[in-house]
Amino acid sequence: MIYILENDKLKVKISSMGAELQSICRVEDNTEYLWQGDPTYWAGRATNIFPSCGRMVEGKYTYDGKTYEMQIHGLVRSQEWSVLRQKANAITLQVQSDEDTLKSYPFHYTVEMTYTLEDETLSIATVVHNTDEKTMLFAVGGHPGFNLPLEDGLTFEDYTIEFDEVCQARRLSLSDACFYLNDSVPFPLEDGKRIPMRHNLFDQDAIFLRDTCGAVTLHSDKGQRYVRMVYPQMPYLGLWHKPFTEAPYVCIEPWTGTPALDGHVNDLTEMPAMMSLEPEGTYRNVYTITFG
């Protein structure tokens, strides 16, 4: 099922499968901002992440003496979501744990995602309810991809990712298989805040940054169209497109967690940056994307 939010600026399409964005289109000129899932490069568009970010070693983890299997970026991406509330400019979708999810993640949960469209800004709110009798360990994140270029006559390399403020950003150290080495190194930013786009930037796969300012804009000095993301509750920001290609998109991924630690199957309690939520507890995280 596809749901639509629309105003005089933008038309947004959302799928009930994974509560995933399908399209973000500018009304006046039909500019499509969202990557459209060409499987040549990446079949996804804007994966929603819960309860773990990134990969698990061998696709597994342990908890309370048992071994579980977990696909990359967690469970809810492949669950069918139902509509909880809907109005002209907003929709809330909901998904719950079930017998199948308990085979991969031993906690009962309800997750709600609310998309709210105001002028040129899309707000994305994730609410996690712990409906279990034990403390739940989890992470959340987003994985939206954006078309590059956004305007005719421009190239991928004409674009820059620019932070709002000068940052002392650090890049998480990852193994060749993209597992976390529990270390980070300074990441050089042009003028302390800019990352010029080039395809070989991603030849070592994703770039995960910490210690950013929580707001970033994808833009070109040669054009007018831009994408601005504000993610104050997300300590990590991932940047990615398919390595060793000239893929015409870039993903800007705000996460609360990291991939698993390299070298062994992790216990869930040792997974880096996992958050904990007490029984009957509720967690809320909001980030926004503005399309100019």
Side-chain angles (χ1 to χ4, degrees), residues 15 29 67 72 91 121 123 134 142 153 177-178 186 190 201 223 237 253 255 266 276 280 291:
S15 174
D29 59 8
T67 299
I72 185 172
I91 186 169
T121 297
S123 172
K134 55 184 179 291
C178 291
E190 187 178 279
L201 190 66
L237 187 71
E253 309 172 33
W255 292 5
N266 290 195
S276 61
E280 300 184 4
F291 302 90

Side-chain angles (χ1 to χ4, degrees), residues 2 12 27 44 52 75 99 121 133-134 143-144 151 201 203 233:
I2 299 295
V12 177
V27 172
S52 61
L75 299 172
E99 290 184 3
T121 297
E133 296 179 352
K134 55 184 179 291
H143 196 308
E151 297 172 71
L201 190 66
D203 284 354
Q233 296 170 265

Side-chain angles (χ1 to χ4, degrees), residues 4 62 103 109 167 190 207 214 244 288:
I4 296 175
T62 59
K103 296 173 185 176
Y109 62 81
C167 303
E190 187 178 279
I207 296 168
F244 301 107
T288 63

Side-chain angles (χ1 to χ4, degrees), residues 162 164 215-218 226-230 288-292:
E162 182 169 357
D164 275 20
V216 70
T217 301
L218 174 67
Y226 65 86
V227 176
R228 171 176 163 78
M229 183 181 291
V230 180
T288 63
I289 314 175
T290 300
F291 302 90

